[in-house]
Amino acid sequence: MSVDTSPRTTTWTYVEGEWLSGNPPLIGPTSHAMWLGSTVFDGARWFDGIAPDLDLHCQRINRSAVAMGLKPVKTSEEIEALAWEGIKKFDGKTPIYIKPMYWGEHGSPGSVVAVDAESTRFALCLFEAPLGGTGGITLTVSPFRRPSPETAMTDAKAGSLYPNSGRMILEARGRGFNNALVRDMNGNVVETASSNVFMVKDGIVYTPIANRTFLAGITRARVIGLLRQEGFDVREETLSVEQFMAADEIFTTGNYSKVVSVNRLDGREFQEGPVARKALELYMDWAHGRSASEE
């Protein structure tokens, strides 16, 4: 039986000068990206008429491309302008995920394993996706680890990193949890399988220090800044599972769902805490206020 390749929500993709609806066939069986994984992407969000930090996401995709050995063929400003052009193709009622992508079409001369930078291709895919994350999530400590920069391309938002995250989520779901709390190779907590993570203890907000084993996200940085402006003591430190188990509250940040409370970590139950609520409130106030001032 053939697989239905149509997207699950309304989708538009810009590639090679035109906007295409649906899921256009862009990668073939000889493409380096399909064969050997030379893909990078980024993800921004549009909702309520705003796209918070879209410029930063468009800048990061080009940095990821360089880290992968690809050649950025669009400036960040060009990508941002295309994103706003694509947003107009939607009805404006449902939040949109904004996904710029680069990939390699050919291997380099003399070694098919290494990508040929001159064969870099670009696409910008936008699709409807509700923000989600309401009601809190459950976490379990994953038996799998995040790799170090010496063993994987952790400095890029590379597609090749995500099968590891995927197996973390599948393993966690198999034990009745939504997601996983993930450690690095030294056993320190670094993130969840799909987002950055924070904990609160005695009024102090902690988040794992960026050690290049995980992507220290744009939304993470924004929330840290907003909480500090509000007077919170936010510390980036090396953190253990034991510290998270003893926390007063835990929450996650990420582009897909912004700020989400954790209501269970393995056998420990948590209530949605005041810091998580405040972080989401501050983020949304900032996002809407910035949009209004720019317009």
Side-chain angles (χ1 to χ4, degrees):
M1 180 183 294
S2 62
V3 175
D4 181 5
T5 62
S6 59
R8 294 177 175 174
T9 62
T10 300
T11 302
W12 285 92
T13 300
Y14 174 91
V15 62
E16 296 174 353
E18 61 179 332
W19 287 97
L20 304 172
S21 63
N23 185 26
L26 300 178
I27 298 177
T30 67
S31 298
H32 193 275
M34 182 174 183
W35 186 13
L36 295 167
S38 56
T39 66
V40 294
F41 74 99
D42 216 289
R45 278 297 212 163
W46 176 93
F47 57 92
D48 297 342
I50 57 176
D53 284 326
L54 176 58
D55 55 341
L56 300 184
H57 288 280
C58 294
Q59 293 165 23
R60 188 171 66 181
I61 182 61
N62 280 0
R63 294 196 301 272
S64 291
V66 171
M68 177 62 74
L70 298 168
K71 179 181 178 181
V73 297
K74 297 284 185 185
T75 67
S76 60
E77 293 82 6
E78 288 171 334
I79 298 170
E80 186 176 359
L82 284 170
W84 284 111
E85 182 179 310
I87 288 166
K88 296 175 183 177
K89 294 183 173 295
F90 294 81
D91 63 14
K93 298 177 182 178
T94 304
I96 298 168
Y97 190 80
I98 303 167
K99 182 176 63 172
M101 298 173 286
Y102 286 111
W103 70 96
E105 187 61 35
H106 301 296
S108 64
S111 175
V112 70
V113 174
V115 68
D116 181 358
E118 296 303 318
S119 74
T120 300
R121 300 182 67 191
F122 169 81
L124 174 62
C125 181
L126 283 71
F127 59 90
E128 292 182 343
L131 286 177
T134 57
I137 61 169
T138 59
L139 298 178
T140 181
V141 177
S142 179
F144 305 120
R145 303 288 182 97
R146 283 286 299 185
S148 67
E150 296 84 1
T151 60
M153 199 165 292
T154 57
D155 288 329
K157 194 170 175 67
S160 57
L161 295 172
Y162 283 79
N164 192 38
S165 294
R167 70 172 181 163
M168 293 171 181
I169 292 172
L170 291 174
E171 192 277 336
R173 287 180 176 175
R175 294 192 284 114
F177 296 86
N178 301 128
N179 208 322
L181 190 69
V182 181
R183 295 164 290 172
D184 61 18
M185 297 304 293
N186 292 320
N188 302 309
V189 173
V190 287
E191 60 174 0
T192 77
S194 59
S195 56
N196 295 133
V197 68
F198 290 72
M199 56 164 273
V200 183
K201 183 66 176 179
D202 298 329
I204 300 172
V205 184
Y206 298 88
T207 193
I209 190 167
N211 63 4
R212 296 182 61 207
T213 68
F214 68 101
L215 197 67
I218 291 169
T219 304
R220 170 187 180 272
R222 181 64 63 189
V223 167
I224 288 173
L226 290 170
L227 285 173
R228 284 174 174 166
Q229 288 176 17
E230 191 69 11
F232 286 89
D233 183 358
V234 183
R235 304 180 185 180
E236 298 178 75
E237 295 186 0
T238 299
L239 300 170
S240 66
V241 170
E242 290 73 21
Q243 285 174 285
F244 272 83
M245 291 298 297
D248 298 323
E249 63 176 291
I250 301 173
F251 62 93
T252 68
T253 63
N255 173 64
Y256 209 90
S257 298
K258 302 310 177 187
V259 181
V260 179
S261 293
V262 173
N263 53 39
R264 180 159 64 107
L265 171 58
D266 283 323
R268 171 81 194 281
E269 302 284 341
F270 294 87
Q271 297 294 321
E272 181 185 26
V275 179
R277 288 194 297 270
K278 189 64 176 178
L280 181 58
E281 176 189 331
L282 290 170
Y283 182 88
M284 289 301 179
D285 285 349
W286 164 81
H288 287 85
R290 176 175 178 178
S291 175
S293 66
E294 288 182 347
E295 294 177 0

